[in-house]
Amino acid sequence: MEKFELTILGCGSAKPTLRHNPACQALTLRGRLYLIDCGEGAQQAAMRFQVPLSRLEAVFLSHLHGDHCLGLPGLLCTLSLHKRQQPLDVYGPKGLEMWLRPTLNFYAGAIDYDVRLHELTSEGTCYEDSGLSVNNIALDHRVACYGYVFTERQGLPHIRRDMIDYLHIPFHAIRAIKEGAGWERPDGGGFVPHERLVTPADAPRSYAYLSDTRPLLTLANKIAPPTLLYHEATYTELHAADAALRYHSTARGAATVAQALCAQQLLIGHFSSRYEKDEQPILDEARALFPNTRLANEGLRLTL
């Protein structure tokens, strides 16, 4: 099974703090890197946590509040200094062109690779490659905001080792069998169908990123149960009124969404600065409803 790995570069505190970086996460699969949000300091965090920016395929911005996007212009320039040649795709809500294009034009001589901007105006599949597909999901925030669901492509079934040995299947035939072929025994013993030669493929893994938003239980109708869910948890229920006013979630709200989506594991982040000295109440509140919850602290690396 290919390594499918998430690294937290920025927890995404709702206000600047000494403890956390603005929002940024790195997802890697099959040697490709995908950035999710890109707050200030993203490239320094990537270097600190040994995330290879040379492998960057695409950037996905949830929305255009500064704590989720202002690290991108500097990152784009640094990639050019590192002699990047291949195009880079950047996805985000409407307004992406108006915000970023003038910067790209200003630095036209310094960014000598193609930065392709994709403004999202509706839900759907926004990105696909040989390893995964990405769906964007509308969230409920003060400005246009999307969550993203990264789903691994279905792999091939596993060929049975005992059948390889028993039937003396040569190495060159294994790929064809995985892709659906059977095996004609050269000793005249007859044809062995594909179904007897393989076991089912591993279930596709998925990662759902939901920030910033009020809790949306209706997302259960749009998102299949994810292997890992990230959901903002800016406040505890003690400040639920602030959460509703500012279109954010409490830790309990995040856990409720995790339950509704039947997620296997929950990551929470984007904490209010009022919890800077002690985030345990946020974690405790989420775990009371969804025990398999962790804080999305910088440097955390998880394999899905």
Side-chain angles (χ1 to χ4, degrees), residues 150-215:
F150 299 79
T151 305
E152 179 184 32
R153 291 202 177 278
Q154 178 69 62
L156 295 173
H158 303 287
I159 190 165
R160 291 172 53 183
R161 181 73 217 187
D162 60 330
M163 296 301 281
I164 292 176
D165 295 339
Y166 175 65
L167 297 171
H168 304 290
I169 297 172
F171 179 78
H172 67 78
I174 290 177
R175 180 74 184 187
I177 292 173
K178 285 186 173 185
E179 292 176 345
W183 177 248
E184 186 71 47
R185 298 180 62 168
D187 60 4
F191 180 77
V192 182
H194 168 77
E195 292 74 18
R196 286 186 56 199
L197 300 173
V198 298
T199 57
D202 298 315
R205 297 162 291 180
S206 63
Y207 175 56
Y209 176 87
L210 306 179
S211 182
D212 297 12
T213 185
R214 288 172 169 172

Side-chain angles (χ1 to χ4, degrees), residues 87-154:
L88 178 66
D89 293 295
V90 179
Y91 297 82
K94 188 173 179 59
L96 178 63
E97 279 275 355
M98 182 183 298
W99 167 63
L100 192 54
R101 185 62 65 186
T103 299
L104 294 175
N105 292 339
F106 183 84
Y107 286 105
I111 300 177
D112 31 351
Y113 60 92
D114 188 16
V115 180
R116 302 184 295 212
L117 304 184
H118 306 269
E119 286 196 341
L120 306 174
T121 57
S122 61
E123 297 179 320
T125 301
C126 62
Y127 176 89
E128 293 181 290
D129 62 27
S130 61
L132 54 70
S133 63
V134 183
N135 277 31
N136 58 294
I137 308 291
L139 300 180
D140 184 16
H141 195 41
R142 289 170 290 161
V143 297
C145 187
Y146 286 103
Y148 294 98
V149 182
F150 299 79
T151 305
E152 179 184 32
R153 291 202 177 278
Q154 178 69 62

